[in-house]
Amino acid sequence: MIWRRLLEPGLKITPDKRGSTSPVEKGRLMKIRTCPVGAFQTNCYLVADEETREGVLIDPGDETERLLKLVRNEGVTVRALLLTHGHVDHVMRAQEVKEALKAPIYAHRADLDLIRTAPQQAEFFGLESGPVPVVDGELKEGEDFRVGNLVFQVLHTPGHTPGGIVLVSGNSAFVGDTIFAGSVGRTDLPGGDGRQLAQSIRTKLYRLPDETILYPGHGPPTTVGEEKSSNPYVRALDA
């Protein structure tokens, strides 16, 4: 598996089919569980500090009961729900999960209007939406987001949506639909901008270390180095 060959020597790592365990800093581990949900198989990530068992849910887009069961089974106290962007498949059940876990929702302010239209987006795709997510706090570039011992650097990466973000912790980056293994997020939906997305990838993501593991909103993980060298949509060029 991709994370096994990239981890710091000497760390005891036991990844399984549900997710991985990655170093946040020397001597501390971050557990990552991936749960693809809904019609679009959107990756929801449960990210927790192994020591404190506190964590976050990233993009709880669908299948509320399945996500709550995952949280219970892992024994994690979820302190926050973090949204990488405002498309329906990433936010549709966020309010239900928020109410069940009593955890606040955070997102970038540039996507607040998009998040409020979740029911209309769902109707367009023939889906049944949950309640409109109420965002409690803002994720800003330049301001780290902290939960227990976890620290996430926030990168604003507009292009797929105006308020798209990437969350970086240690050698892991949760990239939403900014980039995928061998592809990038679509830009033909309202608020999308292909040139802006390419700039975000080159000036933000491709500046991260090559060994950084990218956890996308759909599909398998990849690395910065792999995408810089082979992504046909955005090559490194001037990164």
Side-chain angles (χ1 to χ4, degrees):
M1 292 185 178
I2 196 166
W3 47 83
R4 296 186 102 169
R5 71 173 190 269
L6 295 173
L7 296 180
E8 182 180 348
L11 285 174
K12 185 178 181 181
I13 307 300
T14 54
D16 62 23
K17 291 182 180 179
R18 297 173 298 166
S20 67
T21 308
S22 300
V24 177
E25 58 186 58
K26 196 164 186 177
R28 181 171 293 159
L29 295 180
M30 177 175 69
K31 175 180 283 189
I32 301 169
R33 291 290 181 255
T34 308
C35 187
V37 295
F40 294 98
Q41 287 293 278
T42 303
N43 289 331
C44 174
Y45 295 101
L46 175 63
V47 185
D49 185 285
E50 285 274 55
E51 180 183 348
T52 66
R53 309 301 296 173
E54 295 178 294
V56 300
L57 269 177
I58 298 174
D59 290 347
D62 209 344
E63 299 187 61
T64 301
E65 289 305 318
R66 186 169 166 221
L67 295 180
L68 296 178
K69 182 178 179 181
L70 173 66
V71 171
R72 290 193 300 269
N73 288 347
E74 294 295 335
V76 173
T77 300
V78 173
R79 298 298 188 190
L81 311 179
L82 309 182
L83 307 181
T84 62
H85 64 289
H87 282 156
V88 62
D89 54 318
H90 293 255
V91 310
M92 188 166 61
R93 299 294 171 180
Q95 185 66 21
E96 292 179 352
V97 176
K98 168 185 174 175
E99 293 171 2
L101 297 177
K102 296 179 170 46
I105 297 174
Y106 292 83
H108 193 280
R109 67 182 306 168
D111 266 13
L112 292 182
D113 287 343
L114 190 59
I115 292 168
R116 294 187 189 107
T117 66
Q120 289 82 6
Q121 294 182 59
E123 184 178 3
F124 178 82
F125 288 108
L127 304 173
E128 183 178 345
S129 176
V132 175
V134 177
V135 176
D136 302 284
E138 184 179 353
L139 295 171
K140 287 183 182 179
E141 181 162 339
E143 295 184 5
D144 290 345
F145 188 87
R146 297 174 180 267
V147 173
N149 291 326
L150 297 178
V151 181
F152 295 92
Q153 177 189 7
V154 179
L155 302 178
H156 183 211
T157 55
H160 180 61
T161 68
I165 60 161
V166 167
L167 298 161
V168 183
S169 187
N171 73 337
S172 301
F174 302 90
V175 299
D177 289 359
T178 299
I179 195 169
F180 307 114
S183 188
V184 297
R186 60 188 295 181
T187 57
D188 59 331
L189 295 172
D193 185 317
R195 184 172 297 180
Q196 191 176 45
L197 180 64
Q199 181 180 24
S200 292
I201 292 170
R202 287 199 180 102
T203 62
K204 302 289 181 69
L205 286 186
Y206 285 178
R207 298 293 173 89
L208 297 174
D210 283 355
E211 64 269 21
T212 304
I213 305 169
L214 305 178
Y215 293 93
H218 306 270
T222 182
T223 66
V224 169
E226 178 67 24
E227 297 314 307
K228 282 170 66 175
S229 65
S230 65
N231 192 301
Y233 295 93
V234 184
R235 293 295 179 92
L237 297 179
D238 57 354

mmCIF file of all heavy atoms in Angstrom, residues 157-161 177-179 184-187 193-202 234:
data_model
loop_
_atom_site.group_PDB
_atom_site.id
_atom_site.type_symbol
_atom_site.label_atom_id
_atom_site.label_comp_id
_atom_site.label_asym_id
_atom_site.label_seq_id
_atom_site.Cartn_x
_atom_site.Cartn_y
_atom_site.Cartn_z
ATOM 1 N N THR A 157 -7.773 26.461 -2.060
ATOM 2 C CA THR A 157 -7.467 25.981 -3.418
ATOM 3 C C THR A 157 -8.681 26.137 -4.323
ATOM 4 O O THR A 157 -9.293 25.153 -4.745
ATOM 5 C CB THR A 157 -7.012 24.513 -3.385
ATOM 6 O OG1 THR A 157 -8.022 23.715 -2.718
ATOM 7 C CG2 THR A 157 -5.695 24.363 -2.642
ATOM 8 N N PRO A 158 -9.077 27.365 -4.638
ATOM 9 C CA PRO A 158 -10.257 27.569 -5.491
ATOM 10 C C PRO A 158 -10.025 27.043 -6.904
ATOM 11 O O PRO A 158 -8.893 26.880 -7.361
ATOM 12 C CB PRO A 158 -10.420 29.091 -5.489
ATOM 13 C CG PRO A 158 -9.042 29.614 -5.233
ATOM 14 C CD PRO A 158 -8.406 28.628 -4.301
ATOM 15 N N GLY A 159 -11.131 26.796 -7.574
ATOM 16 C CA GLY A 159 -11.090 26.317 -8.959
ATOM 17 C C GLY A 159 -12.176 25.296 -9.199
ATOM 18 O O GLY A 159 -12.975 25.420 -10.127
ATOM 19 N N HIS A 160 -12.228 24.258 -8.356
ATOM 20 C CA HIS A 160 -13.354 23.322 -8.406
ATOM 21 C C HIS A 160 -14.594 24.017 -7.872
ATOM 22 O O HIS A 160 -15.673 23.923 -8.464
ATOM 23 C CB HIS A 160 -13.013 22.082 -7.597
ATOM 24 C CG HIS A 160 -14.092 21.045 -7.564
ATOM 25 N ND1 HIS A 160 -14.559 20.418 -8.701
ATOM 26 C CD2 HIS A 160 -14.810 20.520 -6.525
ATOM 27 C CE1 HIS A 160 -15.514 19.566 -8.370
ATOM 28 N NE2 HIS A 160 -15.686 19.608 -7.061
ATOM 29 N N THR A 161 -14.433 24.710 -6.754
ATOM 30 C CA THR A 161 -15.431 25.631 -6.218
ATOM 31 C C THR A 161 -14.681 26.854 -5.695
ATOM 32 O O THR A 161 -13.468 26.788 -5.451
ATOM 33 C CB THR A 161 -16.256 25.019 -5.068
ATOM 34 O OG1 THR A 161 -15.396 24.820 -3.928
ATOM 35 C CG2 THR A 161 -16.902 23.705 -5.474
ATOM 36 N N ASP A 177 -11.996 17.631 -3.808
ATOM 37 C CA ASP A 177 -12.031 17.361 -5.247
ATOM 38 C C ASP A 177 -11.065 18.264 -6.020
ATOM 39 O O ASP A 177 -11.230 18.471 -7.222
ATOM 40 C CB ASP A 177 -13.452 17.547 -5.787
ATOM 41 C CG ASP A 177 -14.397 16.442 -5.334
ATOM 42 O OD1 ASP A 177 -13.934 15.532 -4.624
ATOM 43 O OD2 ASP A 177 -15.587 16.512 -5.670
ATOM 44 N N THR A 178 -10.058 18.788 -5.334
ATOM 45 C CA THR A 178 -9.060 19.605 -6.019
ATOM 46 C C THR A 178 -8.263 18.766 -7.001
ATOM 47 O O THR A 178 -8.017 19.172 -8.141
ATOM 48 C CB THR A 178 -8.119 20.263 -4.995
ATOM 49 O OG1 THR A 178 -8.884 21.118 -4.134
ATOM 50 C CG2 THR A 178 -7.045 21.085 -5.689
ATOM 51 N N ILE A 179 -7.859 17.571 -6.575
ATOM 52 C CA ILE A 179 -7.050 16.700 -7.420
ATOM 53 C C ILE A 179 -7.368 15.257 -7.070
ATOM 54 O O ILE A 179 -7.773 14.959 -5.935
ATOM 55 C CB ILE A 179 -5.544 16.996 -7.228
ATOM 56 C CG1 ILE A 179 -4.714 16.364 -8.362
ATOM 57 C CG2 ILE A 179 -5.060 16.569 -5.857
ATOM 58 C CD1 ILE A 179 -3.264 16.854 -8.379
ATOM 59 N N VAL A 184 -8.214 15.664 -12.083
ATOM 60 C CA VAL A 184 -8.495 16.844 -11.268
ATOM 61 C C VAL A 184 -10.007 17.013 -11.158
ATOM 62 O O VAL A 184 -10.774 16.371 -11.882
ATOM 63 C CB VAL A 184 -7.877 18.126 -11.878
ATOM 64 C CG1 VAL A 184 -6.364 18.024 -11.919
ATOM 65 C CG2 VAL A 184 -8.446 18.410 -13.272
ATOM 66 N N GLY A 185 -10.435 17.890 -10.264
ATOM 67 C CA GLY A 185 -11.862 18.154 -10.095
ATOM 68 C C GLY A 185 -12.457 18.850 -11.305
ATOM 69 O O GLY A 185 -11.777 19.638 -11.988
ATOM 70 N N ARG A 186 -13.710 18.579 -11.575
ATOM 71 C CA ARG A 186 -14.380 19.206 -12.711
ATOM 72 C C ARG A 186 -14.572 20.703 -12.456
ATOM 73 O O ARG A 186 -14.696 21.148 -11.305
ATOM 74 C CB ARG A 186 -15.722 18.528 -12.994
ATOM 75 C CG ARG A 186 -16.711 18.562 -11.863
ATOM 76 C CD ARG A 186 -17.928 17.702 -12.137
ATOM 77 N NE ARG A 186 -18.726 18.200 -13.257
ATOM 78 C CZ ARG A 186 -19.852 17.624 -13.686
ATOM 79 N NH1 ARG A 186 -20.313 16.528 -13.080
ATOM 80 N NH2 ARG A 186 -20.517 18.122 -14.699
ATOM 81 N N THR A 187 -14.626 21.461 -13.515
ATOM 82 C CA THR A 187 -14.757 22.912 -13.384
ATOM 83 C C THR A 187 -15.914 23.466 -14.204
ATOM 84 O O THR A 187 -16.011 24.676 -14.412
ATOM 85 C CB THR A 187 -13.457 23.612 -13.819
ATOM 86 O OG1 THR A 187 -13.145 23.239 -15.167
ATOM 87 C CG2 THR A 187 -12.299 23.218 -12.911
ATOM 88 N N ASP A 193 -13.573 27.063 -12.208
ATOM 89 C CA ASP A 193 -12.671 27.839 -13.045
ATOM 90 C C ASP A 193 -11.421 26.990 -13.282
ATOM 91 O O ASP A 193 -10.611 26.798 -12.372
ATOM 92 C CB ASP A 193 -12.301 29.150 -12.343
ATOM 93 C CG ASP A 193 -11.454 30.086 -13.198
ATOM 94 O OD1 ASP A 193 -10.521 29.597 -13.866
ATOM 95 O OD2 ASP A 193 -11.721 31.302 -13.185
ATOM 96 N N GLY A 194 -11.269 26.482 -14.503
ATOM 97 C CA GLY A 194 -10.184 25.564 -14.806
ATOM 98 C C GLY A 194 -8.804 26.185 -14.642
ATOM 99 O O GLY A 194 -7.881 25.552 -14.118
ATOM 100 N N ARG A 195 -8.641 27.416 -15.078
ATOM 101 C CA ARG A 195 -7.339 28.072 -14.953
ATOM 102 C C ARG A 195 -6.986 28.294 -13.490
ATOM 103 O O ARG A 195 -5.834 28.087 -13.075
ATOM 104 C CB ARG A 195 -7.361 29.397 -15.717
ATOM 105 C CG ARG A 195 -6.025 30.119 -15.731
ATOM 106 C CD ARG A 195 -6.059 31.319 -16.648
ATOM 107 N NE ARG A 195 -6.303 30.926 -18.033
ATOM 108 C CZ ARG A 195 -6.389 31.792 -19.042
ATOM 109 N NH1 ARG A 195 -6.240 33.087 -18.806
ATOM 110 N NH2 ARG A 195 -6.618 31.369 -20.272
ATOM 111 N N GLN A 196 -7.974 28.680 -12.711
ATOM 112 C CA GLN A 196 -7.752 28.906 -11.288
ATOM 113 C C GLN A 196 -7.410 27.601 -10.563
ATOM 114 O O GLN A 196 -6.545 27.570 -9.681
ATOM 115 C CB GLN A 196 -8.996 29.537 -10.667
ATOM 116 C CG GLN A 196 -8.805 30.056 -9.252
ATOM 117 C CD GLN A 196 -10.056 30.740 -8.743
ATOM 118 O OE1 GLN A 196 -11.175 30.226 -8.913
ATOM 119 N NE2 GLN A 196 -9.899 31.900 -8.138
ATOM 120 N N LEU A 197 -8.067 26.510 -10.955
ATOM 121 C CA LEU A 197 -7.779 25.215 -10.341
ATOM 122 C C LEU A 197 -6.339 24.792 -10.623
ATOM 123 O O LEU A 197 -5.626 24.337 -9.714
ATOM 124 C CB LEU A 197 -8.747 24.156 -10.865
ATOM 125 C CG LEU A 197 -8.551 22.749 -10.294
ATOM 126 C CD1 LEU A 197 -8.816 22.736 -8.797
ATOM 127 C CD2 LEU A 197 -9.469 21.746 -10.997
ATOM 128 N N ALA A 198 -5.903 24.934 -11.866
ATOM 129 C CA ALA A 198 -4.527 24.573 -12.204
ATOM 130 C C ALA A 198 -3.531 25.407 -11.407
ATOM 131 O O ALA A 198 -2.512 24.890 -10.922
ATOM 132 C CB ALA A 198 -4.297 24.753 -13.702
ATOM 133 N N GLN A 199 -3.837 26.683 -11.245
ATOM 134 C CA GLN A 199 -2.955 27.549 -10.456
ATOM 135 C C GLN A 199 -2.919 27.103 -8.995
ATOM 136 O O GLN A 199 -1.855 27.080 -8.368
ATOM 137 C CB GLN A 199 -3.414 29.002 -10.558
ATOM 138 C CG GLN A 199 -2.517 29.969 -9.786
ATOM 139 C CD GLN A 199 -2.998 31.398 -9.892
ATOM 140 O OE1 GLN A 199 -4.177 31.657 -10.133
ATOM 141 N NE2 GLN A 199 -2.092 32.347 -9.716
ATOM 142 N N SER A 200 -4.074 26.746 -8.442
ATOM 143 C CA SER A 200 -4.128 26.273 -7.057
ATOM 144 C C SER A 200 -3.268 25.026 -6.878
ATOM 145 O O SER A 200 -2.533 24.896 -5.893
ATOM 146 C CB SER A 200 -5.573 25.959 -6.657
ATOM 147 O OG SER A 200 -6.360 27.126 -6.578
ATOM 148 N N ILE A 201 -3.378 24.113 -7.827
ATOM 149 C CA ILE A 201 -2.614 22.863 -7.725
ATOM 150 C C ILE A 201 -1.118 23.138 -7.823
ATOM 151 O O ILE A 201 -0.321 22.636 -7.023
ATOM 152 C CB ILE A 201 -3.080 21.871 -8.807
ATOM 153 C CG1 ILE A 201 -4.518 21.410 -8.510
ATOM 154 C CG2 ILE A 201 -2.131 20.678 -8.885
ATOM 155 C CD1 ILE A 201 -5.154 20.618 -9.636
ATOM 156 N N ARG A 202 -0.723 23.970 -8.786
ATOM 157 C CA ARG A 202 0.708 24.220 -8.988
ATOM 158 C C ARG A 202 1.323 25.024 -7.846
ATOM 159 O O ARG A 202 2.440 24.741 -7.415
ATOM 160 C CB ARG A 202 0.931 24.958 -10.310
ATOM 161 C CG ARG A 202 0.731 24.097 -11.540
ATOM 162 C CD ARG A 202 1.389 24.715 -12.766
ATOM 163 N NE ARG A 202 1.174 23.866 -13.935
ATOM 164 C CZ ARG A 202 0.285 24.114 -14.881
ATOM 165 N NH1 ARG A 202 -0.465 25.197 -14.811
ATOM 166 N NH2 ARG A 202 0.148 23.294 -15.905
ATOM 167 N N VAL A 234 -2.540 18.563 -14.981
ATOM 168 C CA VAL A 234 -1.722 19.628 -14.407
ATOM 169 C C VAL A 234 -0.328 19.064 -14.131
ATOM 170 O O VAL A 234 -0.093 18.434 -13.104
ATOM 171 C CB VAL A 234 -2.320 20.185 -13.091
ATOM 172 C CG1 VAL A 234 -1.467 21.352 -12.591
ATOM 173 C CG2 VAL A 234 -3.760 20.654 -13.305
#
